[in-house]
Amino acid sequence: MRTLEIVFWISLFIVFYTYIGYGIVLYILVKIKETFRKPIHYPIPPDEELPELTLFIAAYNEEDVVDEKMQNCLDLDYPTEKLQIFWVTDGSNDHTNERLSRWPQATVLHQPQRQGKTAALNRGMKFVKTPLVIFTDANTHLNREALREIVHAFTNPKVGCVAGEKRIAVQSKDNAASGGEGIYWKYESTLKALDSRLYSAVGAAGELFAVRRELFEDMRTDTLLDDFILSLRIAMHGYTIAYCATAYATESGSADMQEEEKRKVRIAAGGLQSIWRLRPLLNPFRYGWLNFQYVSHRVLRWSITPILLFLLLPLNVILLFTGNCPLFYAIILGLQVLFYLMGIWGYILSRRHIKNKILFIPYYFLFMNVNVIRGFRYLSKRKGNSSGAWEKSRRAGK
């Protein structure tokens, strides 16, 4: 039973480290670093020195949000003569292009063939001439100061990518999906901010991020997490990903847990795909701090931790009857069972559309890890159909 005990404690440690411990370690490292090296504050560039920007929106059948998105773009605080609003609408067969034709401020690139979002990004970037490109989704709203804040982050020449913050709109009656998602993204935002202060944020979310145009690299068209792959490749070239909490994109949470489930499974599959395609980043001798952050914040979550999480319960039951400290293992088992019961009760309440944010947390946590495991199956079945990867729900938050 000694071997089972070792496996149990290693599993427990990895689960704790992945979801809580890394945040603690990260906080301590940031405080130590900033004690000896104060952050450099770069001046805000005046209007006459602001660079030209392209606001890049890849959209598929977004007729319901086109007008709202365009108005939001025009309301942003940035000189209009230095801002280009660029839409790529490949394959759209609704009234998206018709609605965009009513907005002369928008440049629209369209082709009838639907080849997927990544292909649209690759094609569209060949027409971009500005030094900075800001990617955003059609169904998100940016805060008025977002573009200026992103440009300010780029005044640091080491920054090759800027990740904005994703926020979930507060609804008067959250469901389990939007409630759990909002809590999750608040925690994620805290980790991203600390990552950025230590060395570099680990990836960007497609709702709002920006890159230096010359650093953009074409991606394989079957790429599931284009935002993550693109931003990490930039970091692998020696640049950093700055996290800018003062530039944020707001969107509604998933309508229900079924929609959220599809999205999480796809994100999990994309995470596994990313681990393989970014495998050189697993070399700690070459990438140092970036490797430490990448493995701690992303790789563990998308690979072994969900498996170990669900392995803990049967191991705990075995050790309760065979271990040297049955009382101790009984307490741990009781806590595990309580957590699972809270998650199940949260699921039942969500099915009845009853709001209880306390129970949303264990439910969303368990739900998220189940779908990471399901992501293995999703990826194994996927056979490079890039157009199928561009779903109506594109929130790939990482």
Side-chain angles (χ1 to χ4, degrees), residues 195-382:
D195 273 330
S196 183
R197 287 165 62 185
L198 179 64
Y199 174 69
S200 172
V202 187
E207 287 77 13
L208 178 61
F209 76 107
V211 303
R212 298 186 189 274
R213 185 196 59 190
E214 70 271 16
L215 299 180
F216 179 88
E217 296 181 6
D218 280 1
M219 294 167 283
R220 291 169 59 175
T221 55
D222 65 341
T223 300
L224 289 170
L225 300 184
D226 48 88
D227 44 12
F228 186 78
I229 291 281
L230 174 57
S231 57
L232 261 295
R233 280 182 176 175
I234 290 173
M236 290 170 70
H237 287 305
Y239 292 89
T240 61
I241 304 169
Y243 181 69
C244 188
T246 50
Y248 54 87
T250 305
E251 67 176 9
S252 299
S254 299
D256 52 47
M257 291 308 289
Q258 287 71 35
E259 178 187 334
E260 180 69 357
E261 178 180 350
K262 293 178 182 177
R263 190 174 71 85
K264 285 296 184 187
V265 170
R266 181 173 177 271
I267 290 173
L272 292 167
Q273 183 190 69
S274 300
I275 292 172
W276 175 250
R277 294 188 178 176
L278 298 173
R279 55 191 180 278
L281 191 50
L282 297 175
N283 184 346
F285 301 103
R286 182 176 179 183
Y287 291 103
W289 283 114
L290 182 61
N291 164 269
F292 163 71
Q293 294 177 287
Y294 172 62
V295 172
S296 299
H297 196 163
R298 299 299 184 189
V299 174
L300 291 177
R301 288 191 190 187
W302 287 339
S303 56
I304 65 170
T305 297
I307 297 172
L308 297 179
L309 172 67
F310 295 113
L311 183 64
L312 282 174
L313 189 61
L315 283 177
N316 201 162
V317 173
I318 294 173
L319 291 173
L320 174 64
F321 297 102
T322 60
N324 296 324
C325 304
L327 178 61
F328 184 73
Y329 286 115
I331 293 173
I332 296 178
L333 179 61
L335 292 175
Q336 284 200 76
V337 171
L338 177 62
F339 189 78
Y340 277 97
L341 289 176
M342 291 174 66
I344 294 170
W345 188 240
Y347 167 76
I348 294 172
L349 292 181
S350 74
R351 300 290 290 182
R352 297 178 180 177
H353 304 286
I354 300 175
K355 180 179 178 180
N356 188 316
K357 287 193 174 183
I358 294 177
L359 296 178
F360 284 173
I361 296 173
Y363 171 33
Y364 193 81
F365 178 80
L366 293 173
F367 160 84
M368 188 168 58
N369 281 281
V370 167
N371 287 319
V372 168
I373 295 175
R374 293 181 66 188
F376 284 90
R377 184 180 179 186
Y378 178 98
L379 192 61
S380 66
K381 286 187 173 183
R382 196 170 185 273

Side-chain angles (χ1 to χ4, degrees), residues 100-168:
L100 283 170
S101 67
R102 304 171 189 170
W103 295 90
Q105 302 90 341
T107 299
V108 182
L109 186 66
H110 176 73
Q111 68 174 17
Q113 297 83 8
R114 182 188 177 196
Q115 297 176 310
K117 183 180 179 181
T118 306
L121 294 177
N122 292 341
R123 191 171 79 89
M125 282 298 294
K126 292 177 173 60
F127 295 86
V128 173
K129 305 301 180 184
T130 59
L132 300 179
V133 187
I134 299 177
F135 299 94
T136 182
D137 284 344
N139 63 336
T140 61
H141 280 200
L142 310 185
N143 62 307
R144 192 168 185 272
E145 304 79 15
L147 304 189
R148 287 182 181 269
E149 295 295 337
I150 287 173
V151 168
H152 184 206
F154 274 116
T155 55
N156 181 350
K158 293 182 180 180
V159 171
C161 173
V162 176
E165 180 172 297
K166 174 181 175 178
R167 296 185 181 182
I168 302 301

Side-chain angles (χ1 to χ4, degrees), residues 378-396:
Y378 178 98
L379 192 61
S380 66
K381 286 187 173 183
R382 196 170 185 273
K383 297 180 179 179
N385 182 6
S386 61
S387 62
W390 197 351
E391 300 175 6
K392 192 68 176 171
S393 174
R394 297 161 309 285
R395 296 182 297 277

Side-chain angles (χ1 to χ4, degrees), residues 34-70:
E34 294 182 351
T35 298
F36 297 98
R37 186 190 303 173
K38 299 300 180 183
I40 300 173
H41 297 285
Y42 292 87
I44 300 175
D47 281 11
E48 59 271 16
E49 295 181 14
L50 290 174
E52 291 186 349
L53 299 177
T54 294
L55 198 56
F56 193 113
I57 306 161
Y60 171 73
N61 285 355
E62 296 286 8
E63 62 178 354
D64 294 337
V65 298
V66 163
D67 294 332
E68 206 172 347
K69 181 64 176 183
M70 279 301 302

